[in-house]
Amino acid sequence: SGVLWRLEGIEIPNPNHFGALGTTGGPVSMVNNNLLSNSDFLTGAFPAEFGNATAGAFDLNLRSGNISRTEFTGQIGFNGFEAGVEGPAFTLKNGQKATYLVNYRYSTLGLMHKLGFSTNTGMAVPEYQDLTFMADLPGSKTGRIKIFGLWGTSFISMGRDLADTTETQYNARGTATDFGAGLGVIGVSHTLFLNKDTRLKSTFSLQQSRSGVVLDSVNNESFSPFLRNSNHENKISFSTQLRRKFSTYNNLSGGIVVDLLGIHYIDSVMDKDHNRFITRTEVDGWMSMYRGYLQWQHNYGSRLTSYTG
């Protein structure tokens, strides 16, 4: 709880399947580790550029596609069936090649269930799929542009098979639950080298996340509505950072982060006496957050670094 997730320098919602809004983890990651470049995981304390978090920060970066030839990837594992393609897209005027990278994954148990194979989970089959892509346009005077995206959706239904009397740690007999969640992120980053020691990087993204719950009571071989929950968030985010390298030992950076968040939360329970749902929580509106930071990185040697911000 309280972990900050970043992708290509922009903060994103929880990038895990079956993750409810407000949480920061999940049983299966949407981010395919075959697509990751150098990434940092910071716990406890972190530099000033990481804010609005209490436990840690996971700073993820996607690698670029193969610059010399087109490659295809296929993989089957417990986490899913996946396929990917990467390679050079076209040649820019400066002679450099733009590259692309696309990867899609579908849950193994979900596909086995659709094909008619038994998954030994009854009706409670975890279904999820995700898509990740990156387009890299290297430049010279105009800067480097990256276009990236992450999409994922997940759903599971538990307790809907009335013939199954088994109680599991996921769902006790007497209730039936449908849970779904999803995430969509698309962004573009621009990195401009003002000189050999100074870099300006700006990132803009559009994001959407959702989660929902349908909870029913099971009475005498029938389902009775009990609770309905639906949460949606839309986010527009912009960040920019100026970084200056003074020497091998000293780096100075500063930047701003602007977030505009549109939220819609609704939660209701069934009033059996009047046979209607009573709304407990309903929030609908927009809010914004503005942040700025300045930090100095000093390397005392190969084994000690300090961040002051």
Side-chain angles (χ1 to χ4, degrees):
S1 179
V3 175
L4 169 70
W5 292 89
R6 293 207 321 184
L7 181 66
E8 289 295 320
I10 204 76
E11 296 179 13
I12 62 173
N14 179 12
N16 291 281
H17 291 299
F18 305 103
L21 267 67
T23 62
T24 54
V28 182
S29 173
M30 293 182 192
V31 183
N32 193 315
N33 60 355
N34 293 325
L35 309 183
L36 291 178
S37 178
N38 294 335
S39 301
D40 297 319
F41 182 48
L42 309 170
T43 61
F46 27 86
E49 67 177 285
F50 300 94
N52 198 34
T54 57
F58 220 141
D59 191 14
L60 305 173
N61 291 288
L62 299 175
R63 66 178 180 87
S64 299
N66 193 311
I67 197 172
S68 59
R69 66 179 186 271
T70 301
E71 292 184 324
F72 299 91
T73 301
Q75 182 169 295
I76 300 174
F78 181 78
N79 280 342
F81 288 76
E82 65 179 76
V85 59
E86 62 179 285
F90 53 87
T91 302
L92 302 174
K93 291 183 178 180
N94 57 13
Q96 299 191 68
K97 292 183 178 180
T99 63
Y100 68 94
L101 175 70
V102 182
N103 188 278
Y104 172 78
R105 179 174 54 176
Y106 194 93
S107 70
T108 299
L109 293 180
L111 184 58
M112 289 176 61
H113 179 73
K114 290 183 181 298
L115 294 176
F117 294 97
S118 174
T119 58
N120 293 321
T121 59
M123 295 291 290
V125 179
E127 300 180 18
Y128 56 86
Q129 52 185 319
D130 50 64
L131 176 72
T132 308
F133 70 87
M134 159 74 87
D136 187 357
L137 287 75
S140 53
K141 294 182 180 181
T142 58
R144 183 178 188 178
I145 297 176
K146 291 183 177 181
I147 303 171
F148 58 92
L150 173 65
W151 171 85
T153 182
S154 56
F155 177 80
I156 189 169
S157 180
M158 299 176 289
R160 295 293 177 184
D161 186 0
L162 296 176
D164 184 7
T165 58
T166 304
E167 290 188 1
T168 69
Q169 60 177 322
Y170 306 107
N171 192 82
R173 176 52 57 196
T175 61
T177 307
D178 297 336
F179 176 78
L183 167 68
V185 176
I186 185 169
V188 56
S189 67
H190 178 256
T191 304
L192 179 64
F193 287 91
L194 303 178
N195 54 53
K196 64 184 182 68
D197 298 319
T198 308
R199 182 192 73 181
L200 178 66
K201 181 178 181 180
S202 303
T203 308
F204 175 81
S205 76
L206 301 174
Q207 308 173 22
Q208 185 179 73
S209 56
R210 61 170 177 81
S211 66
V213 176
V214 173
L215 179 62
D216 295 335
S217 300
V218 180
N219 300 310
N220 299 323
E221 304 299 318
S222 64
F223 299 106
S224 299
F226 177 66
L227 180 141
R228 301 291 185 267
N229 175 276
S230 177
N231 298 318
H232 289 80
E233 289 185 359
N234 296 306
K235 183 180 178 183
I236 302 172
S237 186
F238 172 79
S239 69
T240 185
Q241 181 191 69
L242 181 66
R243 184 179 179 88
R244 167 77 175 180
K245 181 179 180 180
F246 291 95
S247 67
T248 306
Y249 303 99
N250 293 286
N251 293 281
L252 185 67
S253 59
I256 59 172
V257 181
V258 179
D259 292 327
L260 183 62
L261 195 66
I263 59 176
H264 178 71
Y265 309 144
I266 186 167
D267 184 86
S268 57
V269 295
M270 172 60 71
D271 181 356
K272 294 184 178 180
D273 294 334
H274 299 88
N275 193 31
R276 64 185 182 93
F277 279 99
I278 302 297
T279 300
R280 300 189 303 177
T281 303
E282 185 171 10
V283 180
D284 197 351
W286 289 84
M287 59 186 177
S288 56
M289 180 164 60
Y290 308 89
R291 285 169 286 165
Y293 62 89
L294 184 68
Q295 66 184 30
W296 168 46
Q297 175 190 355
H298 179 70
N299 299 317
Y300 295 93
S302 60
R303 305 180 68 178
L304 181 63
T305 301
S306 68
Y307 288 88
T308 304

